[in-house]
Amino acid sequence: MGSVKPPPFDYVRAANLDDVWDALDADEDAKVIAGGQSLIPLLSLRFASPSLLVDLGALGELTGVQLTDSVLRIGALTRHCEVERNAAIRAAAPLLAEAATWVAHPQIRNRGTLGGSVAHGDSAAEFPAALLALDATMVARSRAGERRVAATDFFLSYFTTALEPGEILAAVELPVARSSSTWGFAEFARRRGDYAIGGAAVQAERDADGSCRSVRAGLLAAGPAPCLAPGLADAFAGRVVDRQLIAGVVDEALARLAPGENVHGSAGYRKDVIGEMLRRALASAFELGEVA
Amino acid sequence: MKTRVVVNGEMYERDVEPRMLMSDFIRHELGLTGTNVGCEHGVCGSCTVVLDGEPVRSCTMLAVQADGRRITTVEGLSNDGEMHGLQRAFTACHGLQCGFCTPGFLMTLLPVYNEGKRLESEEIREVISGNLCRCTGYQQIVESVQMALDEAADLAESGEGPDRPSDDADVS
Ligand SMILES: Cc1cc2nc3c(=O)[nH]c(=O)nc-3n(C[C@H](O)[C@H](O)[C@H](O)COP(=O)(O)OP(=O)(O)OC[C@H]3O[C@@H](n4cnc5c(N)ncnc54)[C@H](O)[C@@H]3O)c2cc1C
Ligand code: FES
Ligand code: FES
């Protein structure tokens, strides 16, 4: 009885990883579901029609946040609200915790998972951009075991990642922030919580004299897949960063981007927004004060 | 597929198709039509319910995913016909006009209310940022929330604790 929106599918709640491998092997149209905050809307709109949903929700192996000396490992099922509040994540990867506060609305952050956002691979999403900036490693898992993929090799094209059929994302691993680390985040959307029209996530290392040792900036909504701003590392290396340097480097990076037009506006407008967000995130990372 | 859910303190067991959304389960299977559906893809917040103490959108959840969990809907707020503090405040401050969005706002706010904390108006706006209202312009909603939270905090400080919906049946 009652109305239904999604097309019919079977559903299984995996009790262990073998259940996942068995289900994915048996049915090539099967899809895994984590928080469901991207997948269920897609089902209701009938943009997706899997034959079987394999619910990862009960798998303890995919949860938990572990901190060692130099690596922070975050289980794929860690929810957005947990990324936002977890003390270890806030200390070891403050950029990621900040990015979480920009993802959707509180009710969605209570269900959506870090792994789901990464596997979804939306170029306008906050986590992929932050993970690119953080030089994260994605831990893929299949029946054959674990496989590690650098974030820069993970996001391939529109909603397409390096995950193979029969593989799931188990965790992400990040280098732990040091005293020399600094970060900045900026995003523009019509309404807080909406997908970004443009944005940037910056992670950098500074030497004792304040000069830049390394810098990476993940961009939001800048192309088909989540991507890094081109050319930053070389331009900044060994230099004391000021506004003038940022302005020049951002202009050069923009010249190499082609965001294209979409519902939010023309290609030119979107480039302007991305450029401004990148300038702000860099200025914030290098503590150059509020941008006028 | 069998799903067993505690809704407003009462255990329900139903055999449903896996594709049934939680919002439709609540409305059509349980007949609890206080939970409204607007967009049905996660954008408007009108379908918000409380799942194990946290507000979530019931239209972006499958009924089978709620198996073994407990849910509170707007019907669970009042106690023996007595309106909940949040409902009283929305009435007093004109926090609703057509009322379509109101159950979603109330359920989004229930966990905050139960914490007994006072919030600044900016913090309130952040809490309700995932709920759309087409009528009020939000100002009266913020005032309603302020009144409800102040009252709840007063009660908490006086040791009485705020209203809680009854929710004590066991799922297992
Ligand atoms: C109104 C609304 C606004 C939103 N705004 C934003 C926003 O501003 N920014 C943003 O980043 N996101 C936004 N989202 C999406 C949200 O963050 C999702 O939670 C997230 O994209 C997907 O995570 P999930 O756990 O819900 O994944 P699901 O919806 O369960 O899955 C998404 C996809 O990933 C796959 N998948 C999930 N987990 C795994 C895994 N462990 N291994 C392999 N594949 C997996 C699924 O098969 C599916 O293809 C919004 C969603 C809504 C409804
Ligand atoms: S009906 Fe669920 S968010 Fe709009
Ligand atoms: S009161 Fe009408 S939509 Fe909010």
Side-chain angles (χ1 to χ4, degrees), chain A residues 31-39 56 76 80 102-104 108 112-113 116-117 119-120 125-126 163 168-169 193-195, chain B residues 41-43:
Chain A
K31 224 171 168 29
V32 298
I33 179 166
Q37 301 303 291
S38 290
L39 187 50
L56 304 179
H80 304 340
W102 291 83
V103 181
I108 291 165
T113 67
S117 171
H120 195 50
E126 288 79 5
L163 288 175
I168 63 168
L169 187 75
D194 284 351
Y195 272 106
Chain B
H41 61 272
V43 179

Side-chain angles (χ1 to χ4, degrees), chain A residues 241-258:
Chain A
V241 177
D242 59 21
R243 284 186 183 285
Q244 212 183 346
L245 180 61
I246 290 178
V249 168
V250 170
D251 284 347
E252 270 176 45
L254 284 182
R256 292 164 61 183
L257 291 175

